[in-house]
Amino acid sequence: MSINIRRFRSDQADFAQQMDELLAWEAVSDAGVQTAVTNIVNDVRARGDEALIEYTNKFDRTSVATMAELELSQEQLQAALDGLSDAERTALVTAAERVRAYHEKQKQDSWSYTEADGTMLGQKVTPMDRVGIYVPGGKAAYPSSVLMNAIPAHVAGVSEIIMVVPTPGGELNQLVLAAAAAAGVTRVFTVGGAQAVAALAYGTATVPKVDKIVGPGNIYVATAKRMVFGAVGIDMIAGPSEILVVCDGDTNPDWIAMDLFSQAEHDEDAQSILVATDEAFLDQVQASIEKLLPTMEREPIIRTSLVDRGAMILASGKEDALALINRIAPEHLELSVEDPDSWLPGIRHAGAIFMGRYTAEALGDYCAGPNHVLPTSGTARFSSPLGVYDFQKRSSLVKFSADGASEMGKVASVLARGEHLTAHARSAEYRIKD
């Protein structure tokens, strides 16, 4: 069965409009989701553990009576890690070590400087006290998400990392629990959905209130994170996963087809786009897609994703391709070209850049080292990957000497009186030397 992937030329008259339609994505809940989430969040905020137990029994098909039944011990986490096969444990530990090594480079230190009159100015960097990480559970379990969300917080110096993970039907994923042990998670509660977000945001008798909530989830989780923002920090409201592959036509088309599949298999809303400067190469990739798609375990999902949201774009040259990259601002960008370094100066917007023919984006999902929590839906124009800096706060330091306070007091006085804020002015003027 052939697969009809949309194809565009960047020089066609309606290309801008076609791109707008292709990239359009509204991660906005409908009224039903909004109402349901509002009710759940408010109920958990009001009734705490009691409501959390009720919603967990209802949505995850469990029959627990106490919160003690919904918390996993450190012994259980360590047992999960110890119980893995040698291959799984080695892979998990290797990935964790690489993620940790990369994020160690991101740590920010406090700094200060002293002016000639003795005035000291600076910045104090402090880790958050407690953060919550949401991890999808059940069959859609992602141990890599545990590593990517918990390890930067651990490196930042966060003292408590609280993980929530739903266990539909009581199904515990041992790789997820093992990842929690490897990543330094402090406590784990087997709760999920909007109710878990509410518990983290406002606290219950058992679940501690956190300072920030990070991690992916479904539309109910995303809506709940949006609702509690302000009471706590959040990482982002993520849309579907996406990849933009730019190829010069000299990479094996089977490789490119599989790279596109690697995003499309996430779900039907995921987006895979190929940009090339050679129309014959687009034909080759199309042929590879037709050949390889029937071999894929998640073939129906990949097919729907590619037909509904995928595209192949013929660019006129390198500069045109660079303009497309910055227009799309992709979550994942693969530069499957001969000299990827020469492209970097022209790229302004991308979540993560995978450089060269051998750098499959899939490596970044698991073990390259950089974080796989990335800005989606064009938000790479103003957002960055999750990192250590997301778990650190910065406090400004100001310490004026007597001479400095006198001189700057004159400046502040003029500006404050210009704003008709007399108390501000007089407060500064008291420190002005006669």
Side-chain angles (χ1 to χ4, degrees), residues 6-9 12-24 271 273 310-311 313 327:
R6 282 173 290 188
R7 192 177 291 198
F8 305 108
R9 298 178 62 98
Q12 64 191 68
D14 61 347
F15 180 68
Q17 178 185 342
Q18 295 286 351
M19 285 296 293
D20 288 342
E21 293 174 0
L22 175 68
L23 299 174
Q271 185 160 61
I273 299 174
I313 301 174
R327 165 69 179 84

Side-chain angles (χ1 to χ4, degrees), residues 64-84:
V64 302
T66 67
M67 283 299 298
E69 298 173 75
L70 293 175
E71 183 170 3
L72 302 178
S73 67
Q74 286 293 329
E75 289 74 21
Q76 287 173 287
L77 304 184
Q78 188 61 44
L81 181 58
D82 294 340
L84 296 180

